[in-house]
Amino acid sequence: LRKKKKTHTHTQTNMSTPPEWDLLLSASQKNNVQDIKHLISTLKVNPGHGNALGQSALHVACLWGNVEAVETLLSLNAPPTLQNRITNGTPLHCAVQSMKPPLKRRVDCVQLLCTEIQKQNSSGQDTKVVVVDRYGCTPLDYVEEMLEEKDVGGDDDDDDDEEWMRLRDILVQHERCEEEEEVKDEQVKLLWGCIQEYNVEGVRVCLEQASSTTDEDDDEAATTNTSKLQRLVQHVDTASGCTALLYAVQTFISLYEERKHSKEEEEAASMVHMIQYLLQYNSNPFVIPKGSTKISMKERQFLDNITTPKIDEDLTKVQIDCQVDMIHQVCTILSSCYKSFSSSSNDSTQKQSIDNLETVAKLLYHHRCQYHHHHHHHHSSDQQQQQQNKNRNKLLLHMETQYLLHEACRRNNLRMVQFCISDLCIDINLTKRQGLTPLHFASRSGHLEIVQFLTSFRDGGGGEGVGEGREKVDLEAKDDGGRTALDMARINGRDDVVVLLENAMLPLSL
C-alpha cells in the first residue's frame, strides 16, 4: 500500500453568510461563468463560500465537470483544497469520484486544479494535491481503485480508458512533484543548518548525496539527480534572498567586517571550504541577493541569465551596485588587509586572513572563468586571446572591481596590484577617469616598486610568479590630456620613476 499522508486543509463554513451567497453554488452547477464573475467581483461573494455541508462552488463545479466554471473560480481566487464536511473531500475528490459524464471534462477540471495547487505551493502557500479524506484516501487512491475494477488496458477496453489513464498520470505527476518538494525542503534545511553551524563535512555530505548515482543508475536517474542538485544549490531563501553560496560568502565577509570574537579565523577557514564545495557542485558564482533594492529589474534579469550561453551584455554596461557583487566585496576587504599588513610582520592571524580572502576571490573568479570558457572557448592566436581576455573580464568582474587596480597603484598597495593582474587577470592598460592607466597613477604618485612591477610587462612577460603570455604594458599610453606616464612623473618631480621609465622604454636588445 502507498503511504498515506495525513494532510488536511480548512473546511469552509457558511455561518453568518447571506443566503443569496448560495447563488454562487447554483451558478457553478449550471456552468454560468457570467453569474460567477458578477457574484464574486460585483456582489463580493466569498469565492470559498460553502453550503451547510461545506460544499464550495469548486466542489460543485468539479462534481459536474464544468471546466469553464472551475477555470473562472480559480482565476477569482477560489481555494482549491477546501474540505467539505461530508467526507472531508476536496474538489479533487469530487472530480474523481463523480460519475457524471463526460469523463474528459472532469479530467480537465483535475488538470486545472492540480496546476493551480502546484502554483500556490511553489509560492509558499500550504496547498497540496495529496489530501486524505475521512476514509484516509487521496484522489489518486480512488482512481487506482477504479482502474482495477474496470480492468483498464485489458480485453474489455471502452472509450473512457484513455481518459482514466490520463487522470491517473496527472495525479501521479503532481504527487511526485509534491514529494520531491518535501524532500528538497528537508535537504535545504539540512544544508543551510550545516552552513550556519560551520559544519564543513555536513555540507559536503549534503551536496554529495544530492548528486550521487550508483553504477546501476540509468541516464534518466542521473538526470534526476542532477536536477535534485540544481534545485538544492539554486534554492533562494525567502528571508535573506540568498542561495546557499551567497549566504556562505556573506557570512564569510561578515566575519571580517564585524570581528566580534576570537574564533573568526577558524570559522572563516570553515566557510572557505564550504564555499569551495558549493562552487564545485555548480552553484551560480554570479548570484546576487534576490531582495536587493540596489539594482533595477533590467539588471536583475541580466544577472539571472548571465550563466546561460546567450550573453549579449557585459557587467560594464549593466551598472549594478558593486556592493552586491561577491567578488567585489571580498576584494575590497582583501585590499585593506594588504595595506595594513607588513611583510615583516609575524601576525599569523593577519596572514591567515589574507590567505582566506585570496582563496575565496580566486575560487569565485575561477568558477566564473570556467563557465565562460565552457560556452565561448575556441582556438585563436595570442593577439586574439588577449582581446578575448579583455572582453571576458567585462562579463566576470564589475568595473569597480577592475578599478581596484588603479586605486592600489595610487595608494602604493603593491600586493593588491600583483593580485589584480596575476590572479584576476585585470587589463594592465585599462583606463579609468581622464584616460589614466594604472601606470599613470603609479608614476604620478612616485611609487617606484609598483612602476617597476608594471614595466616588467613591457615584453608581455611579468614579475615574479606572473608567467608569460600576459598583455604588454603600454609605456606610451596617453591620457585625455595627451600625457604619458613618463610625462606625469616629470611634472610631479618623481625623478627615480623618470629614470626607471626612460630605461624601460629603451629597446630590449640594449
Side-chain angles (χ1 to χ4, degrees):
L1 292 176
R2 294 188 307 109
K3 182 180 178 181
K4 301 290 192 298
K5 295 182 174 63
K6 300 297 183 180
T7 305
H8 298 281
T9 56
H10 297 292
T11 56
Q12 179 68 33
T13 68
N14 67 340
M15 296 177 61
S16 303
T17 58
E20 57 269 21
W21 280 22
D22 286 342
L23 293 173
L24 178 61
L25 279 67
S26 177
S28 299
Q29 180 185 350
K30 296 174 182 177
N31 204 25
N32 191 328
V33 171
Q34 294 304 319
D35 280 1
I36 293 172
K37 291 180 178 178
H38 175 70
L39 287 163
I40 294 175
S41 301
T42 306
L43 302 184
K44 307 302 179 185
V45 174
N46 183 348
H49 167 67
N51 61 18
L53 297 177
Q55 289 280 83
S56 71
L58 264 181
H59 284 89
V60 174
C62 289
L63 185 70
W64 287 84
N66 293 335
V67 178
E68 294 78 15
V70 169
E71 189 171 21
T72 303
L73 287 164
L74 290 174
S75 71
L76 295 171
N77 301 317
T81 56
L82 284 178
Q83 291 172 274
N84 61 34
R85 285 193 290 278
I86 309 170
T87 62
N88 284 343
T90 66
L92 278 174
H93 285 90
C94 286
V96 302
Q97 289 181 282
S98 173
M99 300 305 294
K100 299 186 184 299
L103 175 59
K104 181 183 184 306
R105 300 270 295 172
R106 289 189 284 115
V107 177
D108 290 342
C109 290
V110 168
Q111 180 68 77
L112 288 170
L113 284 167
C114 287
T115 301
E116 178 62 24
I117 290 170
Q118 185 176 15
K119 176 183 173 184
Q120 292 186 13
N121 196 27
S122 299
S123 66
Q125 300 180 55
D126 187 19
T127 54
K128 302 289 183 183
V129 169
V130 186
V131 179
V132 296
D133 62 11
R134 183 167 292 168
Y135 307 105
C137 293
T138 68
L140 181 57
D141 291 330
Y142 289 111
V143 172
E144 290 182 334
E145 182 181 339
M146 181 61 72
L147 290 174
E148 288 178 9
E149 289 180 1
K150 288 175 60 62
D151 189 26
V152 173
D155 296 333
D156 300 326
D157 289 351
D158 61 35
D159 294 339
D160 281 345
D161 281 4
E162 186 175 335
E163 287 303 320
W164 279 110
M165 293 304 295
R166 182 165 75 96
L167 176 57
R168 180 186 182 279
D169 289 345
I170 291 169
L171 291 170
V172 167
Q173 176 188 353
H174 284 276
E175 284 204 12
R176 186 179 295 134
C177 287
E178 287 184 4
E179 289 171 358
E180 289 176 353
E181 283 298 316
E182 289 177 3
V183 171
K184 173 194 155 186
D185 289 344
E186 290 303 315
Q187 290 176 329
V188 166
K189 288 177 185 176
L190 185 58
L191 176 63
W192 279 65
C194 290
I195 295 174
Q196 290 165 348
E197 294 171 4
Y198 300 91
N199 183 348
V200 177
E201 183 62 15
V203 169
R204 184 191 67 78
V205 170
C206 283
L207 295 169
E208 191 174 90
Q209 288 179 344
S211 65
S212 62
T213 57
T214 64
D215 293 338
E216 293 80 16
D217 285 330
D218 56 20
D219 291 340
E220 184 179 351
T223 301
T224 299
N225 278 296
T226 300
S227 178
K228 288 179 181 178
L229 178 64
Q230 288 175 342
R231 287 197 302 269
L232 183 61
V233 298
Q234 291 173 4
H235 171 78
V236 177
D237 175 60
T238 53
S240 63
C242 296
T243 61
L245 173 64
L246 183 55
Y247 180 78
V249 173
Q250 288 190 344
T251 301
F252 172 78
I253 290 169
S254 69
L255 292 172
Y256 291 105
E257 290 179 336
E258 297 172 5
R259 294 193 176 274
K260 291 181 179 179
H261 52 80
S262 58
K263 289 187 176 181
E264 281 109 344
E265 289 309 322
E266 180 181 339
E267 292 176 347
S270 297
M271 205 57 68
V272 170
H273 290 297
M274 286 188 271
I275 291 168
Q276 184 172 12
Y277 283 133
L278 288 163
L279 287 167
Q280 179 184 332
Y281 284 93
N282 301 322
S283 293
N284 181 357
F286 292 94
V287 71
I288 59 174
K290 190 146 188 142
S292 174
T293 58
K294 296 183 177 181
I295 62 174
S296 68
M297 181 60 70
K298 177 183 177 183
E299 294 162 353
R300 176 164 301 288
Q301 288 172 346
F302 165 67
L303 280 178
D304 285 345
N305 294 321
I306 197 170
T307 52
T308 67
K310 297 178 181 179
I311 298 175
D312 57 2
E313 294 187 76
D314 59 58
L315 290 177
T316 61
K317 293 178 182 177
V318 183
Q319 297 302 314
I320 301 154
D321 190 313
C322 58
Q323 297 307 316
V324 300
D325 180 72
M326 289 185 284
I327 293 184
H328 184 81
Q329 290 174 291
V330 173
C331 288
T332 299
I333 298 172
L334 177 61
S335 181
S336 298
C337 287
Y338 279 147
K339 190 62 180 171
S340 61
F341 181 71
S342 169
S343 58
S344 60
S345 172
N346 292 320
D347 187 344
S348 59
T349 300
Q350 186 79 336
K351 288 180 180 178
Q352 185 61 51
S353 296
I354 289 175
D355 286 345
N356 288 336
L357 289 161
E358 284 181 342
T359 300
V360 170
K362 289 177 185 178
L363 281 170
L364 292 169
Y365 181 75
H366 171 72
H367 281 272
R368 289 185 177 185
C369 287
Q370 273 191 332
Y371 170 79
H372 187 273
H373 178 81
H374 177 72
H375 289 289
H376 299 273
H377 177 67
H378 53 84
H379 297 292
S380 55
S381 66
D382 289 343
Q383 186 175 1
Q384 288 174 324
Q385 188 62 47
Q386 289 176 4
Q387 186 60 43
Q388 288 169 15
N389 287 341
K390 284 184 184 181
N391 295 334
R392 180 188 66 184
N393 262 7
K394 292 179 180 180
L395 288 167
L396 305 182
L397 297 174
H398 193 285
M399 204 74 243
E400 290 301 321
T401 307
Q402 298 183 60
Y403 286 157
L404 289 174
L405 170 59
H406 301 73
E407 186 67 9
C409 288
R410 186 174 74 85
R411 294 182 175 274
N412 199 26
N413 190 343
L414 177 61
R415 288 191 65 180
M416 188 61 186
V417 172
Q418 292 170 332
F419 184 81
C420 286
I421 294 174
S422 304
D423 295 292
L424 299 184
C425 300
I426 296 176
D427 179 10
I428 196 171
N429 297 311
L430 179 68
T431 57
K432 196 182 177 184
R433 55 183 174 81
Q434 299 175 343
L436 298 173
T437 67
L439 186 59
H440 278 100
F441 278 97
S443 300
R444 183 179 65 180
S445 301
H447 300 317
L448 190 62
E449 282 187 299
I450 293 179
V451 173
Q452 190 170 20
F453 174 76
L454 294 174
T455 55
S456 68
F457 289 87
R458 62 178 177 157
D459 60 348
E464 183 180 352
V466 175
E468 299 295 326
R470 302 281 179 174
E471 186 174 0
K472 296 180 181 180
V473 64
D474 186 355
L475 298 173
E476 298 183 357
K478 296 180 180 180
D479 66 4
D480 294 346
R483 293 164 297 190
T484 65
L486 179 58
D487 295 330
M488 289 282 198
R490 285 172 175 160
I491 292 170
N492 289 277
R494 310 299 186 182
D495 295 339
D496 47 356
V497 173
V498 169
V499 172
L500 196 160
L501 288 172
E502 287 177 338
N503 289 334
M505 297 176 76
L506 294 173
L508 290 175
S509 58
L510 299 179

